[in-house]
Amino acid sequence: MSSVPLGQDAIDVAGTNAGYHELAGADEIRAYYGHVMQRHFLPSGRVRYFPNCDYLGDGRFVSTLAQTSYSVQVRKKVVDTTYLEGAIPATSALPFEVADGVRCVPAGEIARLTDRPERFVVIGGGKTALDGCVWLLERGVPASTIQWIRPREAWWANRQFHQTRSMLPDFYRGIAIRVEAMAQATSVRDLYARLEAEGVFLRIDPEVEPTMYRGAVVSEAELALMRQIEDVVRLGHVQRIERNEIVLERGRVPTTAGTVRVHCAAVGLAKPARRPIFEPGRVTVQPFMLGYACYQFAMLGVLEATVESDEEKNRVCPPIGYWDATADYLSAFLAALANDRARAAYPALVSWAKATRLNPLSGIELFGDDPSVMDSRERIKRFGTAAASNLVTLLGRP
């Protein structure tokens, strides 16, 4: 919510997030949403809340705890936030077979282990696996007892360039670096090399070229921790886990009875077919710019409230698919540039975007005299048009 901040705007002073804005934990996030519901939504008289219910469609939903059903008349639209619902290890079926007697737990369960395993095998190449490895290492688990099965290598966004408030100059500089690199790159590979050289993008192993980018953010301190893990398996996805070996797409590795396998291989970013966000009677929430879900999805609400035609709303905010391959970052960035231009024609949208706390660039005008911000602004103006043109060229190459 734009009107209710999460956290205390504090800077962490210890751990792998030291020097950056605080990261909210699970308990804090749950408390935040409880506060929003109980202190803001329900007292407004405009919200009715039906927890523990399944929606059946056509305005009907049923309780999962009691034999109670409900029916409502949808006067305007149903807002569907489930269309892009991803899978998480805790609730999704394992994507590989596990033999009887094999100990395999979803990522979140490692925090509740009561024994001391001989070894850990972390399965997955995405952010969940990364967080699992960092969590173990921060708690003193020796890197030598961790095996990491990474089917693919990823590019990671450097947290330094994703800080707001007092650190906005670095955020803005990161945008300028991207735009200039996009204007000058000769290939997709060259673009990532330029951004890596500037520290905007990071990779764990400098000897292995990543094939995916999903927008996940890490700190350089986390990267240093992960590089301590030397037992990295790159033989594709796990097919099945036997008592004595793990069978992968391109080979096998031994395992032991005293090992805990940590399942981090769920498909977190769903990629169904894109559909119009705005339709008669329905809003299907989907991304239309890179990252910053709170900001862009709140913008959909502003658009719904201020623009009459569904056709025009869809022209201003056409959906994009979640990114996966390295080239997806380029197409998503290009779409974001085009969408920004389309939204500029609507004063209500422009005014809201400038004022809302959810906009990551909110407050940049306070740094107007900062030499770094002045330089970044000039670079964005100088290379913006060329970047958009070159992205089209790069995406058209094999």
Side-chain angles (χ1 to χ4, degrees), residues 23 241 264:
L23 298 177
I241 304 178
C264 306

Side-chain angles (χ1 to χ4, degrees), residues 68-81:
T68 307
S69 61
Y70 306 90
S71 180
V72 297
Q73 179 182 358
V74 180
R75 286 183 291 183
K76 293 199 71 174
K77 292 184 177 182
V78 169
V79 181
D80 182 3
T81 64

Side-chain angles (χ1 to χ4, degrees), residues 32-334:
Y32 173 82
Y33 282 114
H35 173 80
V36 167
M37 181 61 69
Q38 299 300 326
R39 296 289 181 265
H40 295 268
F41 282 176
L42 294 179
S44 74
R46 296 187 298 166
V47 173
R48 296 178 66 195
Y49 179 41
F50 297 87
N52 301 100
C53 287
D54 287 335
Y55 184 65
L56 305 178
D58 299 323
R60 296 180 299 114
F61 49 101
V62 297
S63 170
T64 59
L65 303 176
Q67 293 182 339
T68 307
S69 61
Y70 306 90
S71 180
V72 297
Q73 179 182 358
V74 180
R75 286 183 291 183
K76 293 199 71 174
K77 292 184 177 182
V78 169
V79 181
D80 182 3
T81 64
T82 67
Y83 190 67
L84 290 182
E85 188 171 28
I88 61 172
T91 58
S92 61
L94 288 166
F96 43 79
E97 299 176 20
V98 176
D100 292 340
V102 169
R103 194 176 184 189
C104 184
V105 302
E109 288 301 310
I110 59 175
R112 287 177 279 277
L113 295 178
T114 57
D115 58 341
R116 186 180 296 113
E118 294 175 3
R119 289 180 59 78
F120 290 90
V121 175
V122 177
I123 303 171
K127 187 62 161 60
T128 302
L130 181 153
D131 288 341
C133 290
V134 169
W135 190 90
L136 290 170
L137 292 166
E138 284 182 322
R139 279 149 186 81
V141 175
S144 60
T145 65
I146 301 174
Q147 182 181 69
W148 191 352
I149 296 178
R150 295 208 298 260
R152 291 195 291 167
E153 292 292 317
W155 287 106
W156 309 94
N158 190 338
R159 184 165 288 139
Q160 176 187 350
F161 298 99
H162 291 268
Q163 299 294 298
T164 58
R165 313 286 287 189
S166 62
M167 303 180 197
L168 267 177
D170 264 353
F171 187 108
Y172 201 46
R173 183 165 65 90
I175 296 175
I177 291 171
R178 289 177 176 87
V179 170
E180 184 171 348
M182 288 173 177
Q184 298 177 343
T186 58
S187 66
V188 174
R189 179 179 293 178
D190 180 51
L191 172 60
Y192 278 92
R194 290 170 182 266
L195 295 178
E196 181 182 27
E198 294 280 2
V200 173
F201 280 174
L202 307 170
R203 55 175 154 173
I204 301 172
D205 190 334
E207 302 300 320
V208 181
E209 183 174 358
T211 60
M212 69 175 177
Y213 174 75
R214 292 180 174 174
V217 177
V218 303
S219 69
E220 293 185 53
E222 287 174 310
L223 194 72
L225 269 184
M226 289 181 289
R227 284 175 173 165
Q228 295 178 16
I229 301 175
E230 298 180 354
D231 188 358
V232 178
V233 178
R234 299 186 180 90
L235 296 174
H237 293 89
V238 172
Q239 303 296 296
R240 65 181 182 276
I241 304 178
E242 304 288 354
R243 292 191 178 209
N244 299 317
E245 67 177 3
I246 300 175
V247 182
L248 301 104
E249 290 174 303
R250 299 190 299 275
R252 301 165 182 254
V253 293
T255 190
T256 64
T259 297
V260 170
R261 298 89 184 165
V262 185
H263 160 39
C264 306
V267 182
L269 296 180
K271 298 193 74 172
R274 277 170 272 175
R275 61 179 297 165
I277 293 177
F278 299 95
E279 299 175 276
R282 178 186 178 105
V283 177
T284 304
V285 175
Q286 297 162 88
F288 55 89
M289 65 172 70
L290 276 164
Y292 313 111
C294 296
Y295 173 51
Q296 61 174 311
F297 295 156
M299 188 181 292
L300 293 180
V302 178
L303 198 63
E304 171 69 17
T306 57
V307 178
E308 187 68 27
S309 161
D310 282 343
E311 181 180 4
E312 184 61 12
K313 295 172 197 170
N314 287 321
R315 186 189 71 81
V316 173
C317 289
I320 61 177
Y322 277 129
W323 29 97
D324 182 81
T326 51
D328 292 344
Y329 173 66
L330 281 69
S331 56
F333 199 98
L334 187 61

